Amino acid sequence: DGLKVAIRLKFEDDDIVEKDEIAKVIKCLMEGEEGKEIRDRMQSLKDSAKKALKDDGSSIKILSQLATQLENFGGI
């Protein structure tokens, strides 16, 4: 819900999703404006993840800091 990268299916009372509902959601994802917005958000998240994993990215920097701290405590 927080990332807004999906469309929630509507279940019937017996916890079954009707084929028409599935078709509607797929069509919305493939052709609709909401589907385009989801694809755009996913691309943005993908770009952010790639940036974080670069040699000078935030993930690498944090792991390096953690390793340094562990070395200082004699943990490695």
Side-chain angles (χ1 to χ4, degrees), residues 9-50:
L9 292 166
K10 292 182 180 92
F11 288 82
E12 296 297 320
D13 293 332
D14 53 1
D15 291 332
I16 294 178
V17 179
E18 297 290 329
K19 65 181 178 182
D20 293 339
E21 174 68 10
I22 294 170
K24 182 180 91 175
V25 169
I26 290 172
K27 186 171 184 166
C28 180
L29 284 171
M30 300 291 286
E31 300 173 356
E33 185 62 31
E34 190 174 7
K36 181 185 179 318
E37 290 171 7
I38 289 172
R39 287 190 299 280
D40 291 345
R41 275 194 295 279
M42 289 298 294
Q43 185 63 49
S44 177
L45 290 169
K46 178 182 171 183
D47 294 343
S48 295
K50 283 174 111 175

